[in-house]
PDB file of all heavy atoms in Angstrom:
ATOM      1  N   GLY H 547      42.723-176.769 237.732  1.00 78.00           N
ATOM      2  CA  GLY H 547      42.742-175.731 236.706  1.00 78.00           C
ATOM      3  C   GLY H 547      41.820-174.574 237.034  1.00 78.00           C
ATOM      4  O   GLY H 547      42.185-173.401 236.878  1.00 78.00           O
ATOM      5  N   LEU H 548      40.622-174.879 237.516  1.00 84.00           N
ATOM      6  CA  LEU H 548      39.689-173.823 237.901  1.00 84.00           C
ATOM      7  C   LEU H 548      40.246-172.999 239.057  1.00 84.00           C
ATOM      8  O   LEU H 548      40.114-171.769 239.087  1.00 84.00           O
ATOM      9  CB  LEU H 548      38.347-174.435 238.299  1.00 84.00           C
ATOM     10  CG  LEU H 548      37.432-174.909 237.171  1.00 84.00           C
ATOM     11  CD1 LEU H 548      36.185-175.565 237.737  1.00 84.00           C
ATOM     12  CD2 LEU H 548      37.045-173.751 236.257  1.00 84.00           C
ATOM     13  N   GLU H 549      40.870-173.671 240.006  1.00 79.00           N
ATOM     14  CA  GLU H 549      41.396-172.966 241.174  1.00 79.00           C
ATOM     15  C   GLU H 549      42.446-171.946 240.771  1.00 79.00           C
ATOM     16  O   GLU H 549      42.476-170.827 241.281  1.00 79.00           O
ATOM     17  CB  GLU H 549      41.986-173.967 242.167  1.00 79.00           C
ATOM     18  CG  GLU H 549      42.265-173.380 243.522  1.00 79.00           C
ATOM     19  CD  GLU H 549      42.557-174.450 244.556  1.00 79.00           C
ATOM     20  OE1 GLU H 549      43.026-175.530 244.163  1.00 79.00           O
ATOM     21  OE2 GLU H 549      42.296-174.205 245.743  1.00 79.00           O
ATOM     22  N   VAL H 550      43.298-172.293 239.821  1.00 73.00           N
ATOM     23  CA  VAL H 550      44.320-171.354 239.349  1.00 73.00           C
ATOM     24  C   VAL H 550      43.686-170.244 238.528  1.00 73.00           C
ATOM     25  O   VAL H 550      43.961-169.056 238.735  1.00 73.00           O
ATOM     26  CB  VAL H 550      45.393-172.092 238.526  1.00 73.00           C
ATOM     27  CG1 VAL H 550      46.396-171.103 237.946  1.00 73.00           C
ATOM     28  CG2 VAL H 550      46.110-173.119 239.384  1.00 73.00           C
ATOM     29  N   GLY H 551      42.818-170.603 237.589  1.00 78.00           N
ATOM     30  CA  GLY H 551      42.226-169.600 236.710  1.00 78.00           C
ATOM     31  C   GLY H 551      41.356-168.594 237.435  1.00 78.00           C
ATOM     32  O   GLY H 551      41.379-167.392 237.118  1.00 78.00           O
ATOM     33  N   LEU H 552      40.590-169.045 238.421  1.00 80.00           N
ATOM     34  CA  LEU H 552      39.668-168.161 239.127  1.00 80.00           C
ATOM     35  C   LEU H 552      40.353-167.239 240.124  1.00 80.00           C
ATOM     36  O   LEU H 552      39.693-166.394 240.732  1.00 80.00           O
ATOM     37  CB  LEU H 552      38.612-169.003 239.858  1.00 80.00           C
ATOM     38  CG  LEU H 552      37.599-169.732 238.966  1.00 80.00           C
ATOM     39  CD1 LEU H 552      36.763-170.698 239.790  1.00 80.00           C
ATOM     40  CD2 LEU H 552      36.713-168.740 238.235  1.00 80.00           C
ATOM     41  N   MET H 553      41.658-167.372 240.299  1.00 72.00           N
ATOM     42  CA  MET H 553      42.375-166.505 241.227  1.00 72.00           C
ATOM     43  C   MET H 553      42.647-165.117 240.658  1.00 72.00           C
ATOM     44  O   MET H 553      42.966-164.193 241.402  1.00 72.00           O
ATOM     45  CB  MET H 553      43.710-167.147 241.625  1.00 72.00           C
ATOM     46  CG  MET H 553      43.562-168.306 242.582  1.00 72.00           C
ATOM     47  SD  MET H 553      45.138-169.125 242.852  1.00 72.00           S
ATOM     48  CE  MET H 553      44.628-170.416 243.976  1.00 72.00           C
ATOM     49  N   PHE H 554      42.524-164.947 239.351  1.00 73.00           N
ATOM     50  CA  PHE H 554      42.951-163.700 238.729  1.00 73.00           C
ATOM     51  C   PHE H 554      41.776-162.733 238.631  1.00 73.00           C
ATOM     52  O   PHE H 554      40.994-162.747 237.689  1.00 73.00           O
ATOM     53  CB  PHE H 554      43.582-163.995 237.365  1.00 73.00           C
ATOM     54  CG  PHE H 554      44.917-164.660 237.497  1.00 73.00           C
ATOM     55  CD1 PHE H 554      45.013-166.030 237.649  1.00 73.00           C
ATOM     56  CD2 PHE H 554      46.068-163.911 237.539  1.00 73.00           C
ATOM     57  CE1 PHE H 554      46.242-166.641 237.817  1.00 73.00           C
ATOM     58  CE2 PHE H 554      47.298-164.514 237.711  1.00 73.00           C
ATOM     59  CZ  PHE H 554      47.388-165.879 237.842  1.00 73.00           C
ATOM     60  N   ASP H 555      41.696-161.891 239.640  1.00 76.00           N
ATOM     61  CA  ASP H 555      40.649-160.885 239.751  1.00 76.00           C
ATOM     62  C   ASP H 555      41.112-159.631 239.011  1.00 76.00           C
ATOM     63  O   ASP H 555      42.193-159.093 239.285  1.00 76.00           O
ATOM     64  CB  ASP H 555      40.407-160.588 241.233  1.00 76.00           C
ATOM     65  CG  ASP H 555      39.236-159.664 241.463  1.00 76.00           C
ATOM     66  OD1 ASP H 555      38.746-159.076 240.479  1.00 76.00           O
ATOM     67  OD2 ASP H 555      38.808-159.524 242.619  1.00 76.00           O
ATOM     68  N   ARG H 556      40.270-159.133 238.088  1.00 79.00           N
ATOM     69  CA  ARG H 556      40.692-157.985 237.291  1.00 79.00           C
ATOM     70  C   ARG H 556      40.872-156.734 238.138  1.00 79.00           C
ATOM     71  O   ARG H 556      41.713-155.874 237.827  1.00 79.00           O
ATOM     72  CB  ARG H 556      39.690-157.730 236.168  1.00 79.00           C
ATOM     73  CG  ARG H 556      38.265-157.448 236.603  1.00 79.00           C
ATOM     74  CD  ARG H 556      37.370-157.300 235.386  1.00 79.00           C
ATOM     75  NE  ARG H 556      35.975-157.071 235.771  1.00 79.00           N
ATOM     76  CZ  ARG H 556      34.999-156.947 234.891  1.00 79.00           C
ATOM     77  NH1 ARG H 556      35.268-157.047 233.601  1.00 79.00           N
ATOM     78  NH2 ARG H 556      33.762-156.735 235.291  1.00 79.00           N
ATOM     79  N   ARG H 557      40.100-156.600 239.239  1.00 79.00           N
ATOM     80  CA  ARG H 557      40.279-155.436 240.116  1.00 79.00           C
ATOM     81  C   ARG H 557      41.641-155.472 240.794  1.00 79.00           C
ATOM     82  O   ARG H 557      42.316-154.441 240.915  1.00 79.00           O
ATOM     83  CB  ARG H 557      39.165-155.405 241.154  1.00 79.00           C
ATOM     84  CG  ARG H 557      37.798-155.059 240.592  1.00 79.00           C
ATOM     85  CD  ARG H 557      36.709-155.228 241.628  1.00 79.00           C
ATOM     86  NE  ARG H 557      36.583-156.611 242.045  1.00 79.00           N
ATOM     87  CZ  ARG H 557      35.687-157.046 242.914  1.00 79.00           C
ATOM     88  NH1 ARG H 557      34.860-156.195 243.483  1.00 79.00           N
ATOM     89  NH2 ARG H 557      35.622-158.326 243.239  1.00 79.00           N
ATOM     90  N   LEU H 558      42.066-156.656 241.212  1.00 76.00           N
ATOM     91  CA  LEU H 558      43.381-156.791 241.827  1.00 76.00           C
ATOM     92  C   LEU H 558      44.476-156.520 240.814  1.00 76.00           C
ATOM     93  O   LEU H 558      45.462-155.832 241.105  1.00 76.00           O
ATOM     94  CB  LEU H 558      43.536-158.202 242.405  1.00 76.00           C
ATOM     95  CG  LEU H 558      44.904-158.557 242.992  1.00 76.00           C
ATOM     96  CD1 LEU H 558      45.234-157.640 244.152  1.00 76.00           C
ATOM     97  CD2 LEU H 558      44.940-160.010 243.427  1.00 76.00           C
ATOM     98  N   LEU H 559      44.306-157.039 239.597  1.00 80.00           N
ATOM     99  CA  LEU H 559      45.314-156.816 238.564  1.00 80.00           C
ATOM    100  C   LEU H 559      45.414-155.341 238.191  1.00 80.00           C
ATOM    101  O   LEU H 559      46.514-154.836 237.918  1.00 80.00           O
ATOM    102  CB  LEU H 559      44.994-157.661 237.332  1.00 80.00           C
ATOM    103  CG  LEU H 559      45.077-159.177 237.522  1.00 80.00           C
ATOM    104  CD1 LEU H 559      44.722-159.899 236.237  1.00 80.00           C
ATOM    105  CD2 LEU H 559      46.468-159.589 237.993  1.00 80.00           C
ATOM    106  N   ARG H 560      44.276-154.641 238.166  1.00 82.00           N
ATOM    107  CA  ARG H 560      44.329-153.201 237.872  1.00 82.00           C
ATOM    108  C   ARG H 560      45.080-152.462 238.972  1.00 82.00           C
ATOM    109  O   ARG H 560      45.857-151.543 238.706  1.00 82.00           O
ATOM    110  CB  ARG H 560      42.911-152.642 237.738  1.00 82.00           C
ATOM    111  CG  ARG H 560      42.260-152.870 236.387  1.00 82.00           C
ATOM    112  CD  ARG H 560      41.088-151.919 236.167  1.00 82.00           C
ATOM    113  NE  ARG H 560      40.055-152.083 237.174  1.00 82.00           N
ATOM    114  CZ  ARG H 560      38.999-152.858 237.036  1.00 82.00           C
ATOM    115  NH1 ARG H 560      38.834-153.548 235.915  1.00 82.00           N
ATOM    116  NH2 ARG H 560      38.099-152.961 237.996  1.00 82.00           N
ATOM    117  N   ARG H 561      44.860-152.872 240.224  1.00 79.00           N
ATOM    118  CA  ARG H 561      45.516-152.199 241.344  1.00 79.00           C
ATOM    119  C   ARG H 561      47.025-152.415 241.332  1.00 79.00           C
ATOM    120  O   ARG H 561      47.783-151.545 241.779  1.00 79.00           O
ATOM    121  CB  ARG H 561      44.919-152.712 242.656  1.00 79.00           C
ATOM    122  CG  ARG H 561      45.351-151.908 243.866  1.00 79.00           C
ATOM    123  CD  ARG H 561      44.516-152.210 245.091  1.00 79.00           C
ATOM    124  NE  ARG H 561      44.772-153.534 245.628  1.00 79.00           N
ATOM    125  CZ  ARG H 561      43.897-154.524 245.640  1.00 79.00           C
ATOM    126  NH1 ARG H 561      42.698-154.345 245.116  1.00 79.00           N
ATOM    127  NH2 ARG H 561      44.199-155.697 246.167  1.00 79.00           N
ATOM    128  N   LEU H 562      47.447-153.562 240.804  1.00 81.00           N
ATOM    129  CA  LEU H 562      48.877-153.878 240.785  1.00 81.00           C
ATOM    130  C   LEU H 562      49.468-153.762 239.382  1.00 81.00           C
ATOM    131  O   LEU H 562      50.541-154.306 239.124  1.00 81.00           O
ATOM    132  CB  LEU H 562      49.092-155.297 241.320  1.00 81.00           C
ATOM    133  CG  LEU H 562      48.594-155.574 242.737  1.00 81.00           C
ATOM    134  CD1 LEU H 562      48.849-157.022 243.106  1.00 81.00           C
ATOM    135  CD2 LEU H 562      49.261-154.647 243.743  1.00 81.00           C
ATOM    136  N   ALA H 563      48.794-153.050 238.492  1.00 83.00           N
ATOM    137  CA  ALA H 563      49.233-152.980 237.088  1.00 83.00           C
ATOM    138  C   ALA H 563      50.654-152.433 236.956  1.00 83.00           C
ATOM    139  O   ALA H 563      51.417-152.889 236.090  1.00 83.00           O
ATOM    140  CB  ALA H 563      48.256-152.128 236.282  1.00 83.00           C
ATOM    141  N   HIS H 564      51.026-151.490 237.812  1.00 83.00           N
ATOM    142  CA  HIS H 564      52.354-150.888 237.699  1.00 83.00           C
ATOM    143  C   HIS H 564      53.464-151.873 238.067  1.00 83.00           C
ATOM    144  O   HIS H 564      54.633-151.655 237.697  1.00 83.00           O
ATOM    145  CB  HIS H 564      52.447-149.649 238.589  1.00 83.00           C
ATOM    146  CG  HIS H 564      52.284-149.936 240.057  1.00 83.00           C
ATOM    147  ND1 HIS H 564      51.074-150.341 240.610  1.00 83.00           N
ATOM    148  CD2 HIS H 564      53.179-149.890 241.087  1.00 83.00           C
ATOM    149  CE1 HIS H 564      51.232-150.531 241.913  1.00 83.00           C
ATOM    150  NE2 HIS H 564      52.495-150.272 242.229  1.00 83.00           N
ATOM    151  N   LEU H 565      53.123-152.936 238.792  1.00 83.00           N
ATOM    152  CA  LEU H 565      54.133-153.920 239.182  1.00 83.00           C
ATOM    153  C   LEU H 565      54.183-155.132 238.248  1.00 83.00           C
ATOM    154  O   LEU H 565      55.152-155.897 238.276  1.00 83.00           O
ATOM    155  CB  LEU H 565      53.870-154.416 240.609  1.00 83.00           C
ATOM    156  CG  LEU H 565      54.004-153.402 241.743  1.00 83.00           C
ATOM    157  CD1 LEU H 565      53.612-154.048 243.061  1.00 83.00           C
ATOM    158  CD2 LEU H 565      55.417-152.847 241.821  1.00 83.00           C
ATOM    159  N   LEU H 566      53.137-155.329 237.439  1.00 85.00           N
ATOM    160  CA  LEU H 566      53.027-156.556 236.654  1.00 85.00           C
ATOM    161  C   LEU H 566      54.177-156.758 235.665  1.00 85.00           C
ATOM    162  O   LEU H 566      54.669-157.888 235.529  1.00 85.00           O
ATOM    163  CB  LEU H 566      51.680-156.587 235.921  1.00 85.00           C
ATOM    164  CG  LEU H 566      50.451-156.729 236.832  1.00 85.00           C
ATOM    165  CD1 LEU H 566      49.176-156.751 236.003  1.00 85.00           C
ATOM    166  CD2 LEU H 566      50.546-157.993 237.683  1.00 85.00           C
ATOM    167  N   PRO H 567      54.642-155.707 234.930  1.00 88.00           N
ATOM    168  CA  PRO H 567      55.771-155.949 234.010  1.00 88.00           C
ATOM    169  C   PRO H 567      57.015-156.474 234.723  1.00 88.00           C
ATOM    170  O   PRO H 567      57.654-157.429 234.259  1.00 88.00           O
ATOM    171  CB  PRO H 567      56.013-154.576 233.375  1.00 88.00           C
ATOM    172  CG  PRO H 567      54.702-153.868 233.483  1.00 88.00           C
ATOM    173  CD  PRO H 567      54.121-154.331 234.786  1.00 88.00           C
ATOM    174  N   ALA H 568      57.365-155.861 235.842  1.00 86.00           N
ATOM    175  CA  ALA H 568      58.551-156.306 236.577  1.00 86.00           C
ATOM    176  C   ALA H 568      58.349-157.699 237.149  1.00 86.00           C
ATOM    177  O   ALA H 568      59.272-158.534 237.119  1.00 86.00           O
ATOM    178  CB  ALA H 568      58.865-155.316 237.702  1.00 86.00           C
ATOM    179  N   ILE H 569      57.152-157.974 237.659  1.00 85.00           N
ATOM    180  CA  ILE H 569      56.860-159.310 238.178  1.00 85.00           C
ATOM    181  C   ILE H 569      56.993-160.346 237.073  1.00 85.00           C
ATOM    182  O   ILE H 569      57.574-161.419 237.266  1.00 85.00           O
ATOM    183  CB  ILE H 569      55.450-159.345 238.800  1.00 85.00           C
ATOM    184  CG1 ILE H 569      55.433-158.533 240.104  1.00 85.00           C
ATOM    185  CG2 ILE H 569      55.007-160.782 239.059  1.00 85.00           C
ATOM    186  CD1 ILE H 569      54.051-158.374 240.700  1.00 85.00           C
ATOM    187  N   GLY H 570      56.449-160.031 235.890  1.00 88.00           N
ATOM    188  CA  GLY H 570      56.542-160.955 234.756  1.00 88.00           C
ATOM    189  C   GLY H 570      57.980-161.244 234.363  1.00 88.00           C
ATOM    190  O   GLY H 570      58.342-162.394 234.092  1.00 88.00           O
ATOM    191  N   VAL H 571      58.812-160.196 234.348  1.00 88.00           N
ATOM    192  CA  VAL H 571      60.228-160.384 234.000  1.00 88.00           C
ATOM    193  C   VAL H 571      60.909-161.270 235.035  1.00 88.00           C
ATOM    194  O   VAL H 571      61.674-162.182 234.687  1.00 88.00           O
ATOM    195  CB  VAL H 571      60.941-159.021 233.893  1.00 88.00           C
ATOM    196  CG1 VAL H 571      62.449-159.209 233.771  1.00 88.00           C
ATOM    197  CG2 VAL H 571      60.420-158.240 232.700  1.00 88.00           C
ATOM    198  N   GLY H 572      60.648-161.014 236.310  1.00 86.00           N
ATOM    199  CA  GLY H 572      61.262-161.827 237.363  1.00 86.00           C
ATOM    200  C   GLY H 572      60.878-163.289 237.259  1.00 86.00           C
ATOM    201  O   GLY H 572      61.725-164.185 237.400  1.00 86.00           O
ATOM    202  N   ILE H 573      59.605-163.561 236.977  1.00 87.00           N
ATOM    203  CA  ILE H 573      59.143-164.944 236.858  1.00 87.00           C
ATOM    204  C   ILE H 573      59.775-165.622 235.652  1.00 87.00           C
ATOM    205  O   ILE H 573      60.237-166.769 235.728  1.00 87.00           O
ATOM    206  CB  ILE H 573      57.613-164.977 236.760  1.00 87.00           C
ATOM    207  CG1 ILE H 573      56.999-164.543 238.102  1.00 87.00           C
ATOM    208  CG2 ILE H 573      57.113-166.372 236.391  1.00 87.00           C
ATOM    209  CD1 ILE H 573      55.505-164.341 238.037  1.00 87.00           C
ATOM    210  N   LEU H 574      59.829-164.923 234.521  1.00 89.00           N
ATOM    211  CA  LEU H 574      60.409-165.501 233.309  1.00 89.00           C
ATOM    212  C   LEU H 574      61.900-165.780 233.487  1.00 89.00           C
ATOM    213  O   LEU H 574      62.402-166.821 233.039  1.00 89.00           O
ATOM    214  CB  LEU H 574      60.190-164.560 232.118  1.00 89.00           C
ATOM    215  CG  LEU H 574      58.756-164.461 231.593  1.00 89.00           C
ATOM    216  CD1 LEU H 574      58.660-163.364 230.533  1.00 89.00           C
ATOM    217  CD2 LEU H 574      58.312-165.796 231.008  1.00 89.00           C
TER     218      LEU H 574
END
Side-chain angles (χ1 to χ4, degrees):
L548 283 176
E549 193 168 27
V550 176
L552 290 171
M553 286 173 181
F554 289 85
D555 186 348
R556 59 183 178 182
R557 290 172 296 182
L558 175 61
L559 295 179
R560 279 199 300 266
R561 190 167 70 246
L562 301 179
H564 63 291
L565 295 176
L566 292 180
I569 290 173
V571 170
I573 292 171
L574 288 173

